[in-house]
Short mmCIF file of all heavy atoms in Angstrom, two decimals:
data_model
loop_
_atom_site.label_atom_id
_atom_site.label_comp_id
_atom_site.label_asym_id
_atom_site.label_seq_id
_atom_site.Cartn_x
_atom_site.Cartn_y
_atom_site.Cartn_z
N ASP A 170 111.88 82.62 61.98
CA ASP A 170 112.26 83.91 61.42
C ASP A 170 113.26 84.67 62.30
O ASP A 170 113.82 85.68 61.87
CB ASP A 170 111.02 84.78 61.23
CG ASP A 170 110.03 84.17 60.25
OD1 ASP A 170 110.49 83.55 59.26
OD2 ASP A 170 108.82 84.29 60.47
N PHE A 171 113.46 84.19 63.52
CA PHE A 171 114.44 84.82 64.41
C PHE A 171 115.83 84.28 64.08
O PHE A 171 115.97 83.17 63.54
CB PHE A 171 114.09 84.53 65.87
CG PHE A 171 112.89 85.29 66.37
CD1 PHE A 171 111.61 84.77 66.25
CD2 PHE A 171 113.04 86.53 66.96
CE1 PHE A 171 110.50 85.47 66.71
CE2 PHE A 171 111.94 87.25 67.44
CZ PHE A 171 110.67 86.72 67.30
N PRO A 172 116.89 85.05 64.40
CA PRO A 172 118.26 84.57 64.13
C PRO A 172 118.56 83.23 64.80
O PRO A 172 119.33 82.43 64.28
CB PRO A 172 119.13 85.68 64.70
CG PRO A 172 118.28 86.89 64.70
CD PRO A 172 116.89 86.40 64.95
N ALA A 173 117.95 83.01 65.95
CA ALA A 173 118.03 81.72 66.63
C ALA A 173 116.66 81.45 67.23
O ALA A 173 116.00 82.38 67.72
CB ALA A 173 119.10 81.74 67.72
N ALA A 174 116.23 80.21 67.18
CA ALA A 174 114.89 79.88 67.66
C ALA A 174 114.73 80.28 69.12
O ALA A 174 115.52 79.87 69.97
CB ALA A 174 114.63 78.39 67.50
N PRO A 175 113.74 81.10 69.44
CA PRO A 175 113.55 81.55 70.82
C PRO A 175 113.17 80.39 71.75
O PRO A 175 112.36 79.53 71.38
CB PRO A 175 112.40 82.55 70.73
CG PRO A 175 112.32 82.93 69.28
CD PRO A 175 112.76 81.71 68.53
N VAL A 176 113.76 80.40 72.93
CA VAL A 176 113.42 79.41 73.94
C VAL A 176 112.21 79.87 74.76
O VAL A 176 111.32 79.08 75.07
CB VAL A 176 114.62 79.14 74.88
CG1 VAL A 176 114.23 78.20 76.01
CG2 VAL A 176 115.79 78.58 74.09
N PHE A 177 112.17 81.18 75.07
CA PHE A 177 111.09 81.68 75.91
C PHE A 177 110.93 83.18 75.64
O PHE A 177 111.52 84.01 76.31
CB PHE A 177 111.41 81.44 77.39
CG PHE A 177 110.22 81.62 78.32
CD1 PHE A 177 109.40 80.55 78.62
CD2 PHE A 177 109.95 82.86 78.90
CE1 PHE A 177 108.32 80.71 79.48
CE2 PHE A 177 108.87 83.03 79.75
CZ PHE A 177 108.06 81.94 80.05
N LEU A 178 110.12 83.52 74.61
CA LEU A 178 109.85 84.93 74.35
C LEU A 178 109.08 85.53 75.52
O LEU A 178 108.19 84.90 76.08
CB LEU A 178 109.02 85.08 73.07
CG LEU A 178 109.74 84.93 71.73
CD1 LEU A 178 108.76 85.26 70.60
CD2 LEU A 178 110.97 85.81 71.63
N ASN A 179 109.43 86.78 75.84
CA ASN A 179 108.78 87.38 77.00
C ASN A 179 108.43 88.84 76.73
O ASN A 179 107.54 89.12 75.96
CB ASN A 179 109.68 87.21 78.24
CG ASN A 179 108.89 87.19 79.52
OD1 ASN A 179 107.86 87.82 79.63
ND2 ASN A 179 109.39 86.46 80.51
N GLY A 180 109.16 89.79 77.34
CA GLY A 180 108.79 91.19 77.25
C GLY A 180 108.85 91.75 75.84
O GLY A 180 109.67 91.33 75.03
N ILE A 181 107.99 92.75 75.57
CA ILE A 181 107.98 93.41 74.26
C ILE A 181 107.63 94.88 74.45
O ILE A 181 106.77 95.23 75.27
CB ILE A 181 106.99 92.74 73.29
CG1 ILE A 181 106.98 93.46 71.93
CG2 ILE A 181 105.59 92.66 73.88
CD1 ILE A 181 106.14 92.78 70.87
N VAL A 182 108.29 95.74 73.67
CA VAL A 182 107.95 97.15 73.58
C VAL A 182 108.07 97.57 72.12
O VAL A 182 108.77 96.92 71.33
CB VAL A 182 108.87 98.04 74.45
CG1 VAL A 182 108.59 97.83 75.93
CG2 VAL A 182 110.34 97.78 74.14
N THR A 183 107.40 98.66 71.74
CA THR A 183 107.53 99.20 70.39
C THR A 183 107.96 100.66 70.48
O THR A 183 107.71 101.34 71.49
CB THR A 183 106.21 99.11 69.61
OG1 THR A 183 105.18 99.79 70.34
CG2 THR A 183 105.82 97.66 69.40
N ASP A 184 108.61 101.14 69.40
CA ASP A 184 109.00 102.54 69.37
C ASP A 184 107.76 103.40 69.12
O ASP A 184 106.66 102.89 68.84
CB ASP A 184 110.08 102.79 68.31
CG ASP A 184 109.60 102.55 66.87
OD1 ASP A 184 108.45 102.11 66.68
OD2 ASP A 184 110.40 102.80 65.95
N ALA A 185 107.92 104.72 69.25
CA ALA A 185 106.78 105.63 69.15
C ALA A 185 106.03 105.52 67.83
O ALA A 185 104.79 105.51 67.82
CB ALA A 185 107.23 107.06 69.41
N PRO A 186 106.71 105.43 66.68
CA PRO A 186 105.96 105.28 65.42
C PRO A 186 105.28 103.93 65.24
O PRO A 186 104.44 103.76 64.35
CB PRO A 186 107.04 105.48 64.34
CG PRO A 186 108.18 106.16 65.02
CD PRO A 186 108.15 105.64 66.42
N GLY A 187 105.66 102.94 66.05
CA GLY A 187 105.08 101.60 65.91
C GLY A 187 105.67 100.80 64.78
O GLY A 187 105.04 99.86 64.29
N ARG A 188 106.90 101.15 64.37
CA ARG A 188 107.53 100.43 63.26
C ARG A 188 108.49 99.34 63.74
O ARG A 188 108.69 98.35 63.05
CB ARG A 188 108.31 101.42 62.38
CG ARG A 188 107.46 102.49 61.73
CD ARG A 188 108.24 103.26 60.68
NE ARG A 188 107.48 104.39 60.17
CZ ARG A 188 107.66 105.64 60.56
NH1 ARG A 188 108.59 105.92 61.47
NH2 ARG A 188 106.93 106.62 60.05
N LEU A 189 109.10 99.55 64.90
CA LEU A 189 110.08 98.61 65.43
C LEU A 189 109.65 98.11 66.79
O LEU A 189 109.04 98.84 67.58
CB LEU A 189 111.46 99.28 65.57
CG LEU A 189 112.12 99.81 64.29
CD1 LEU A 189 113.40 100.55 64.65
CD2 LEU A 189 112.41 98.66 63.33
#
Side-chain angles (χ1 to χ4, degrees):
D170 298 324
F171 287 89
V176 175
F177 194 90
L178 283 186
N179 207 329
I181 179 174
V182 290
T183 57
D184 65 356
R188 298 191 187 100
L189 298 174

